[in-house]
Amino acid sequence: ASSLIAMLPGLLLGIFMLLVAVAIEVMPLVFAALGCLIASFICMVIVMPLTQLCQVDSWMLLRLQGVVWRVNVPQLNMIDTYRFTNKAGIRALSWERLSPEEQERAKNSVLRAISLLCSGQLMPGSTLSQAVMPLTDLRVLKETKWGWRVAYSVSGNKWKKVWIGKAYPNFAPTEDMPPCVERTPWNIPVIIVSLVLVVAFSLGGAVWGTMMYTEPGGNQGGTSKNDESLTARVPAQVTEYEVDGVSFPMDSAYVMDGEGIFYDPATDTDYYLSAWSNVSEQSALEYLLDPISMFRDDPEYDRFRFEHVTGENTLVPLTAADGSVYQHNILTVYFTDGTALHTAVALTKDGILLVAEGFQSETADEHTVKGDLLYMLENAKLGEHPGTAVITEENYRSLFHLASEEGYQYIGVGYIKAPEGMFEQGGFLDAYLPYQEGEPDYPEEDASVISTTAHGMEVTVTMVQSSFNAQDAVEEAYESFCALTEDSIDTEEYETIYSSEYDIALKEFYHYDNLSPRYSILYADTRGNGWYLLAKITYLLDEQDADYPALLEELRDVYGINLPDMEAVPPAVSSSTTA
């Protein structure tokens, strides 16, 4: 039994460590667990021959006329004419489980089998000859505290070696040897060897995993320790940029590539800045951890590390330049090509989340990039209404606002719910429409359709799916509109304009709404994977005002198409519309 127990420490400890390592994502612990499993396999190879000493319950030995016979008790009981008990169950059949009557029947079955085998009436290899086997010319090769290593003759000049445990009362392999009279002791040396192997291989695996997943001078992916050496890098010249109502200071040498996007030519690093309002600490942690799940399956993903990790919380205090205390951290995701993505977050006590990300090239200095990010967070200044509201199921209808952050004076931004199946976990999409006071319209309470009207223009935006292209999406939308409208549509056929290069399409047509003239354009723009943004842009020809030309110009910029100028009274023939 001690031989079997020797295999358990490495197996049980390895499985436990592997489960813990997967749960907390600590790679050195994974290698330590693998070391335990390898040690368990080695122990299995060592003790496998000794397991023969543990078979005394299922094997019966007896000496008859100078020959030692070995009887497989369960196998003999399976032969119909030799069955001596009907006991069954999960436990293997053993001699001790038999009643005195069953033991007597078993003895008679064994003697009858031996008599038949000695008569030469059975062919070699029969079931009975495998259950009851003579150990011919038995020789003792070695004796230990726990048993005898013996050899017996098979098939002429061939010999087979087996272990016989010292557990058979008054039995010895040969008649000239003293029989076993005491219970065999535990095989403590085997258990000690097993424990030594487990400890050695687990420590070796942990060291190897640490070497593989630790950056020189840095922290290991997933289990970093605090790095007090990181300090903010103060630029020689500072320029402040306002992003989402927050003023971020940064090096004046940076080039602005877009709203909240900056490029550092000195380190070949792209920076992305944003701010969010009404953010909980849990949501801030989720934002910090997003890059791990986003890039873990990427073929070029290498590892990740936190700049600070405590035993209880991943966010740690950060004192800003104005004395405010934020909860912050920096996550770095490394790639095999030498590049890295740094995500730095700082959460104020009022729920404002500041996010500064840096995507560095393989030649950039990591310490410098993270020092820049830390400087931005420490010296950010919050405006009167900082942050962009997090879009939720409860508030998305109320977040429609003038897109002044993008330089528009007549265009507003609203949100529609992504159709089921477009994204794995759902979400919301931006929709650009004429700006109107109050909330936009969501026809028939459909969260995936939004519509606004202002200055003689009406725009309805939704998402549709098409198995072919944008032209097919526009044609289907036009047929649906014709089927639903109760007013007349100009019978002249207008050709659908399609750009295969960009997979966009549009179609124009005249129609009436309660006898009021209308001119509409259906526009579809690919969003990938068979999904298209579908916009219906309608000229309310009898409602145009002085701001109509300015709004039309901004709609042209938003959708990137040449929307025609329409007069209050429509011409007989439509103006040409080009993509």
Side-chain angles (χ1 to χ4, degrees):
S2 54
S3 301
L4 296 176
I5 291 175
M7 294 186 289
L8 293 180
L11 183 62
L12 297 180
L13 183 60
I15 293 174
F16 174 75
M17 293 174 64
L18 193 60
L19 293 175
V20 173
V22 171
I24 65 176
E25 298 181 337
V26 179
M27 289 308 299
L29 192 57
V30 173
F31 281 85
L34 293 178
C36 288
L37 296 178
I38 293 174
S40 179
F41 177 77
I42 295 175
C43 291
M44 186 183 301
V45 173
I46 294 174
V47 304
M48 225 7 134
L50 301 180
T51 57
Q52 297 178 48
L53 299 173
C54 304
Q55 298 177 354
V56 293
D57 287 342
S58 299
W59 292 85
M60 183 173 66
L61 293 177
L62 71 154
R63 182 179 289 104
L64 189 63
Q65 296 180 355
V67 178
V68 174
W69 292 78
R70 189 170 63 164
V71 180
N72 188 327
V73 175
Q75 187 175 0
L76 180 63
N77 189 62
M78 294 175 61
I79 303 174
D80 288 338
T81 57
Y82 293 88
R83 182 172 290 115
F84 45 84
T85 180
N86 292 321
K87 283 187 170 70
I90 298 177
R91 291 177 57 195
L93 184 64
S94 63
W95 182 261
E96 284 72 15
R97 290 186 60 196
L98 301 178
S99 66
E101 293 78 11
E102 290 171 333
Q103 290 180 351
E104 190 63 30
R105 288 199 298 269
K107 292 178 182 178
N108 294 332
S109 295
V110 170
L111 294 175
R112 185 157 51 92
I114 293 175
S115 175
L116 185 61
L117 290 169
C118 291
S119 66
Q121 300 180 40
L122 291 180
M123 295 292 292
S126 64
T127 304
L128 184 60
S129 63
Q130 294 175 0
V132 182
M133 181 182 301
L135 306 184
T136 309
D137 298 330
L138 187 66
R139 300 178 183 179
V140 176
L141 305 177
K142 181 180 180 181
E143 182 179 3
T144 68
K145 296 179 181 179
W146 304 279
W148 297 279
R149 182 67 164 168
V150 301
Y152 62 93
S153 174
V154 291
S155 304
N157 296 326
K158 294 183 179 180
W159 293 81
K160 186 174 182 179
K161 299 176 182 179
V162 294
W163 277 97
I164 296 178
K166 290 183 176 181
Y168 300 96
N170 301 315
F171 174 83
T174 61
E175 294 178 333
D176 58 344
M177 296 185 68
C180 173
V181 293
E182 296 183 357
R183 184 179 181 86
T184 56
W186 283 71
N187 197 337
I188 301 301
V190 172
I191 298 177
I192 294 176
V193 169
S194 171
L195 294 175
V196 170
L197 286 174
V198 168
V199 172
F201 275 79
S202 62
L203 289 178
V207 172
W208 187 25
T210 302
M211 294 174 59
M212 290 185 62
Y213 284 85
T214 301
E215 175 194 11
N219 300 328
Q220 59 191 13
T223 60
S224 329
K225 58 184 179 180
N226 293 338
D227 185 355
E228 301 297 342
S229 64
L230 180 65
T231 56
R233 191 184 75 90
V234 182
Q237 292 185 329
V238 177
T239 300
E240 293 191 354
Y241 297 90
E242 184 173 327
V243 178
D244 296 333
V246 177
S247 179
F248 288 94
M250 60 185 62
D251 198 318
S252 298
Y254 292 176
V255 179
M256 186 175 183
D257 284 346
E259 182 71 18
I261 304 174
F262 303 88
Y263 174 69
D264 178 14
T267 61
D268 191 20
T269 299
D270 293 303
Y271 292 96
Y272 306 88
L273 304 178
S274 60
W276 304 88
S277 60
N278 301 319
V279 179
S280 65
E281 185 172 341
Q282 181 61 37
S283 297
L285 283 172
E286 290 175 359
Y287 196 103
L288 178 68
L289 299 174
D290 270 349
I292 299 175
S293 57
M294 184 181 302
F295 294 106
R296 185 180 289 279
D297 295 330
D298 192 305
E300 296 185 353
Y301 170 83
D302 185 11
R303 66 192 190 283
F304 70 89
R305 59 165 283 186
F306 293 105
E307 194 62 32
H308 305 280
V309 169
T310 66
E312 299 178 357
N313 202 324
T314 307
L315 296 182
V316 298
L318 171 70
T319 302
D322 62 0
S324 302
V325 178
Y326 301 157
Q327 294 297 313
H328 93 294
N329 210 334
I330 301 176
L331 170 74
T332 301
V333 174
Y334 299 93
F335 301 94
T336 56
D337 61 357
T339 60
L341 174 64
H342 310 284
T343 301
V345 302
L347 181 67
T348 72
K349 64 179 182 178
D350 297 324
I352 306 300
L353 179 66
L354 309 180
V355 181
E357 297 177 284
F359 189 81
Q360 71 169 60
S361 67
E362 64 277 8
T363 59
D365 177 63
E366 175 185 341
H367 203 78
T368 299
V369 175
K370 290 193 294 186
D372 289 343
L373 295 174
L374 190 59
Y375 176 79
M376 298 174 195
L377 295 183
E378 286 183 348
N379 295 274
K381 299 176 183 177
L382 277 60
E384 186 176 354
H385 300 290
T388 299
V390 177
I391 306 172
T392 66
E393 193 78 42
E394 291 74 24
N395 69 2
Y396 75 96
R397 294 173 183 266
S398 63
L399 297 180
F400 180 70
H401 65 280
L402 183 65
S404 56
E405 69 274 9
E406 299 186 45
Y408 293 120
Q409 299 180 9
Y410 297 92
I411 295 295
V413 179
Y415 303 95
I416 58 175
K417 193 172 182 180
E420 184 176 354
M422 184 174 183
F423 301 126
E424 183 176 348
Q425 298 181 344
F428 294 87
L429 302 164
D430 297 347
Y432 291 88
L433 315 107
Y435 180 72
Q436 66 177 31
E437 294 293 338
E439 293 188 4
D441 299 324
Y442 289 88
E444 299 180 358
E445 299 299 317
D446 187 349
S448 62
V449 182
I450 189 173
S451 178
T452 64
T453 303
H455 311 301
M457 297 294 291
E458 180 185 68
V459 177
T460 302
V461 176
T462 187
M463 296 297 299
V464 297
Q465 202 170 19
S466 173
S467 56
F468 296 101
N469 52 35
Q471 181 175 357
D472 183 60
V474 163
E475 292 291 349
E476 290 181 0
Y478 177 70
E479 293 175 4
S480 297
F481 178 80
C482 293
L484 292 175
T485 185
E486 296 179 357
D487 291 325
S488 61
I489 299 178
D490 196 312
T491 56
E492 183 176 351
E493 182 67 29
Y494 295 100
E495 181 182 358
T496 299
I497 300 174
Y498 175 63
S499 170
S500 58
E501 180 179 0
Y502 299 104
D503 195 14
I504 62 175
L506 54 85
K507 185 180 185 67
E508 57 182 330
F509 56 93
Y510 287 102
H511 58 102
Y512 289 88
D513 182 9
N514 294 326
L515 302 180
S516 298
R518 300 288 184 261
Y519 171 77
S520 291
I521 294 175
L522 287 171
Y523 169 77
D525 182 2
T526 181
R527 290 296 187 268
N529 297 323
W531 289 99
Y532 292 85
L533 179 142
L534 178 68
K536 179 173 172 285
I537 304 171
T538 299
Y539 293 72
L540 310 178
L541 299 175
D542 55 346
E543 299 179 17
Q544 296 173 356
D545 58 19
D547 291 322
Y548 152 75
L551 170 60
L552 183 63
E553 190 62 35
E554 290 189 359
L555 283 172
R556 288 169 178 162
D557 182 70
V558 165
Y559 289 99
I561 56 178
N562 183 23
L563 298 172
D565 290 312
M566 302 298 297
E567 299 179 0
V569 179
V573 179
S574 167
S575 303
S576 62
T577 306
T578 59

